[in-house]
Amino acid sequence: MATPRERLVEALETLKELQDQGLVAIHTSEISKKTIRVLLLKKGFLKEIIKGWYIPADPQERPGDSTSWYSSYWDFCARLLEHKYGTDWCISAEQSLQLHAGNLTVPPQLIVRSLKANNTLTNLPFQTTLFNLKAELPEEGLRMVQNGIRMYTLIGAVIYASANTYARNPIDARTAVSMIRDASELLPVLLDKGHTSIAGRLAGAFRNIGRERIADNILGAMRSADYDVRESDPFEEKIAINLSARERSPYVNRLRLMWQLMRPTVIRNFPAAPGIPKDKAAYLKHIDDVFVTDAYHSLSIERYRVTPELIERVSSGAWDKNENPEDKKQKDAMAARGYYQAFQQVKESISRIIDGGNPGKQADADHAAWYRELFDPSVSAGLLKASDLAGYRNAQVFITSSKHTPLNIDAMRDTMPVLFELLEEEPEACVRAVLGHFVFVFIHPYMDGNGRIGRFLMNSMLASGGYPWTVIPVEKRTAYMAALEKASTEQDITPFAKFLASLVEQEMKGKPEAHLPG
């Protein structure tokens, strides 16, 4: 009889074989031995989503942690729907438009069209649902498959997404519309189907983003075919932004749109900038004085178990990875030492900004050094490989319990230069601080350390306006993460802007909210 250890090894080998096949969603039939399935579920390596369907999970995932579900969501839905409907299904035009716009946020409800459907609701984990809508599919030329998801093409999504989509999701809609290069891409469908109201709405949408030629060509072609078309702008407001017609990455235009639409909210909620400090030495001394408090809270937010005493040892030089074996093997000590080294680099960047350096250019030039210093002790101790300091990630990452999926590798490399261009061009320090931090973690360019680097970036940009170094208290971690989630998944920056503004105001009054324990 096999021992418990041998049974677990057999079960894990079975799961590995399935994962090696690229399976994220696993059907009961693919784990033929019930004992193996039960053991994997009991040990936390497998999680049941609906009857007969599972996803791999991390046994160390806390109860109620949604990470494994959100990171598996799109692959799971694709495989479930393929199993259920074969090739005869397609997600809605509205949700297709969001995907074309680079929005991979897990939706509360995924609407699936199929003639085999029966208008039923399937409940999924964490208040997500799948609605099976009995409806015809778009014609073949307006359908496509992307990463296993059957969806409308860009043309089909732009044409058939409801008018409400443009008002409710203006960033997604503008991003998708900006990817259309010429009216000729849309006109065959508009003319053949006699879509007069849709043509009027699209003409208004293109004019809203400054694509006058496309708007005029849609109206001209429709009217030449004797259709009565009345132009209407589906967006609730007009914005002044130049979106390149040659840009093929939806993520770049999306990022520029987010910045433009969010910046007035930040300015409205933030206190006025004091201006570049006249006493540079005093400003930098304040940064030194706040180091221990900042390190304690910033590392604690990332779940490192650090103490003020450990940070004091690190900053005073008492910590020694070469002589003290406990220091050498302690992961939290590595994080604390790395934070100290990175903090010194950030302070040098701030010094250059105070001396007149452009904040965006300075952060662009220096942030790689911040990252290297952050993880250098872990490399020296053998916890990480030297190649881990190479820079931006080369694999997909996910954020714990977040519906937001960080950008894929290609999109990340497209957008990081744009982030620093926006920081360089932005005249308001508060916008540089709030949106710089938010967009950085939205992109998530590194395998680890994104939150800490994002907060370093925030404080560098605050310094560019003379705001004091601001600590985000670990006690407010839940509110902090919720505000970032709201901005990432709903493009609502208001909670995050207000959250940071309140902390900055307290610092400006000399009453910081972040303190050391005890």
Side-chain angles (χ1 to χ4, degrees):
M1 177 180 289
T3 65
R5 179 177 173 276
E6 289 171 337
R7 288 198 296 271
L8 180 58
V9 169
E10 180 190 8
L12 291 175
E13 287 175 344
T14 300
L15 181 59
K16 183 179 183 300
E17 288 177 8
L18 293 171
Q19 289 181 298
D20 288 345
Q21 297 172 33
L23 298 184
V24 175
I26 298 170
H27 189 254
T28 299
S29 62
E30 289 158 338
I31 304 180
S32 55
K33 292 179 67 173
K34 183 179 178 181
T35 53
I36 288 179
R37 189 169 67 251
V38 170
L39 183 58
L40 289 171
L41 285 166
K42 180 181 177 181
K43 296 296 185 181
F45 289 99
L46 209 61
K47 182 182 292 186
E48 187 172 39
I49 301 302
I50 58 175
K51 186 174 176 58
W53 285 92
Y54 309 86
I55 59 171
D58 183 350
Q60 297 182 18
E61 198 171 67
R62 296 180 179 88
D65 192 335
S66 57
T67 307
S68 60
W69 169 237
Y70 290 149
S71 62
S72 305
Y73 176 85
W74 290 107
D75 289 325
F76 178 88
C77 289
R79 190 140 195 267
L80 173 67
L81 292 166
E82 209 77 13
H83 181 85
K84 193 170 186 176
Y85 300 127
T87 61
D88 298 327
W89 64 276
C90 178
I91 65 173
S92 70
E94 291 76 15
Q95 289 169 326
S96 298
L97 182 143
Q98 291 176 30
L99 293 183
H100 282 296
N103 184 354
L104 294 175
T105 299
V106 172
Q109 183 174 90
L110 184 66
I111 299 173
V112 179
R113 301 169 65 97
S114 176
L115 286 173
K116 297 178 180 179
N118 53 1
N119 297 321
T120 57
L121 190 71
T122 301
N123 290 310
L124 298 172
F126 298 100
Q127 290 77 55
T128 58
T129 61
L130 191 156
F131 187 73
N132 302 275
L133 177 66
K134 187 176 180 63
E136 292 185 356
L137 303 184
E139 58 189 82
E140 189 173 342
L142 297 178
R143 299 199 307 266
M144 64 176 290
V145 181
Q146 179 175 291
N147 298 324
I149 298 293
R150 297 184 179 275
M151 56 194 285
Y152 283 71
T153 62
L154 174 63
I155 300 303
V158 166
I159 290 174
Y160 290 113
S162 67
N164 287 339
T165 297
Y166 288 79
R168 288 199 312 265
N169 300 315
I171 291 175
D172 292 341
R174 283 190 177 96
T175 301
V177 168
S178 73
M179 295 173 66
I180 303 295
R181 293 163 293 184
D182 189 81
S184 61
E185 297 179 71
L186 301 164
L187 283 169
V189 178
L190 298 177
L191 289 165
D192 287 349
K193 302 295 184 182
H195 289 319
T196 55
S197 61
I198 293 174
R201 178 167 70 243
L202 291 178
F206 281 106
R207 204 173 305 282
N208 182 283
I209 65 169
R211 303 283 175 82
E212 305 284 345
R213 180 177 58 82
I214 296 180
D216 291 341
N217 285 346
I218 289 174
L219 295 176
M222 294 296 288
R223 287 167 181 166
S224 292
D226 293 329
Y227 287 116
D228 180 19
V229 179
R230 299 181 182 182
E231 182 176 331
S232 61
D233 188 344
F235 297 110
E236 293 182 344
E237 61 179 331
K238 188 173 179 64
I239 61 171
I241 186 170
N242 181 26
L243 297 176
S244 172
R246 297 179 181 177
E247 179 57 63
R248 302 316 301 152
S249 170
Y251 301 96
V252 170
N253 281 349
R254 179 181 181 79
L255 185 57
R256 292 190 180 278
L257 280 163
M258 286 168 58
W259 193 282
Q260 188 67 21
L261 288 168
M262 290 176 174
R263 66 183 305 277
T265 301
V266 176
I267 295 169
R268 190 164 55 247
N269 285 284
F270 231 80
I276 291 290
K278 294 179 180 178
D279 190 340
K280 175 182 172 181
Y283 188 89
L284 294 178
K285 182 180 184 303
H286 171 72
I287 292 177
D288 278 332
D289 292 343
V290 83
F291 165 71
V292 173
T293 301
D294 182 70
Y296 170 77
H297 287 277
S298 191
L299 289 167
S300 296
I301 283 173
E302 304 303 327
R303 308 283 195 196
Y304 286 100
R305 294 184 179 181
V306 295
T307 63
E309 291 74 22
L310 171 61
I311 296 166
E312 289 283 11
R313 286 179 62 215
V314 165
S315 60
S316 68
W319 178 88
D320 190 335
K321 69 178 185 297
N322 295 317
E323 299 298 329
N324 188 329
E326 288 302 309
D327 284 346
K328 184 172 183 178
K329 69 183 182 181
Q330 189 177 7
K331 178 183 175 184
D332 297 336
M334 303 301 147
R337 178 63 189 178
Y339 197 87
Y340 173 75
Q341 293 178 186
F343 190 91
Q344 304 311 310
Q345 287 287 326
V346 174
K347 195 174 73 169
E348 288 185 22
S349 299
I350 290 174
S351 176
R352 297 185 189 105
I353 290 170
I354 293 174
D355 286 340
N358 179 282
K361 284 185 177 180
Q362 202 64 58
D364 189 11
D366 296 349
H367 74 285
W370 304 348
Y371 173 78
R372 287 193 298 271
E373 294 296 337
L374 193 63
F375 289 101
D376 173 71
S378 295
V379 171
S380 299
L383 297 177
L384 294 175
K385 303 186 298 293
S387 59
D388 290 326
L389 297 183
Y392 296 152
R393 58 184 163 86
N394 287 301
Q396 183 62 50
V397 293
F398 297 94
I399 304 172
T400 302
S401 298
S402 175
K403 291 184 178 182
H404 167 63
T405 301
L407 306 193
N408 63 48
I409 299 168
D410 289 337
M412 177 268 292
R413 296 188 184 279
D414 285 341
T415 52
M416 282 304 290
V418 177
L419 166 59
F420 291 107
E421 287 174 16
L422 289 165
L423 287 170
E424 181 181 340
E425 297 162 0
E426 176 56 54
E428 298 290 340
C430 63
V431 176
R432 292 194 292 268
V434 176
L435 295 189
H437 178 7
F438 160 61
V439 172
F440 187 89
V441 296
F442 179 87
I443 297 171
H444 239 64
Y446 295 114
M447 290 301 294
D448 194 9
N450 293 286
R452 282 162 282 172
I453 298 291
R455 291 186 287 278
F456 283 148
L457 181 61
M458 175 193 79
N459 273 302
S460 298
M461 298 302 104
L462 286 175
S464 71
Y467 295 105
W469 185 286
T470 299
V471 178
I472 297 176
V474 66
E475 295 83 5
K476 295 200 171 187
R477 183 183 190 277
T478 300
Y480 170 54
M481 301 304 284
L484 282 170
E485 180 78 353
K486 186 88 169 174
S488 296
T489 60
E490 299 179 32
Q491 288 75 61
D492 182 0
I493 198 67
T494 304
F496 190 55
K498 288 183 175 180
F499 176 82
L500 290 185
S502 67
L503 294 177
V504 170
E505 286 172 342
Q506 290 298 314
E507 291 282 353
M508 292 172 72
K509 293 175 182 176
K511 300 176 181 178
E513 294 194 27
H515 302 279
L516 293 174

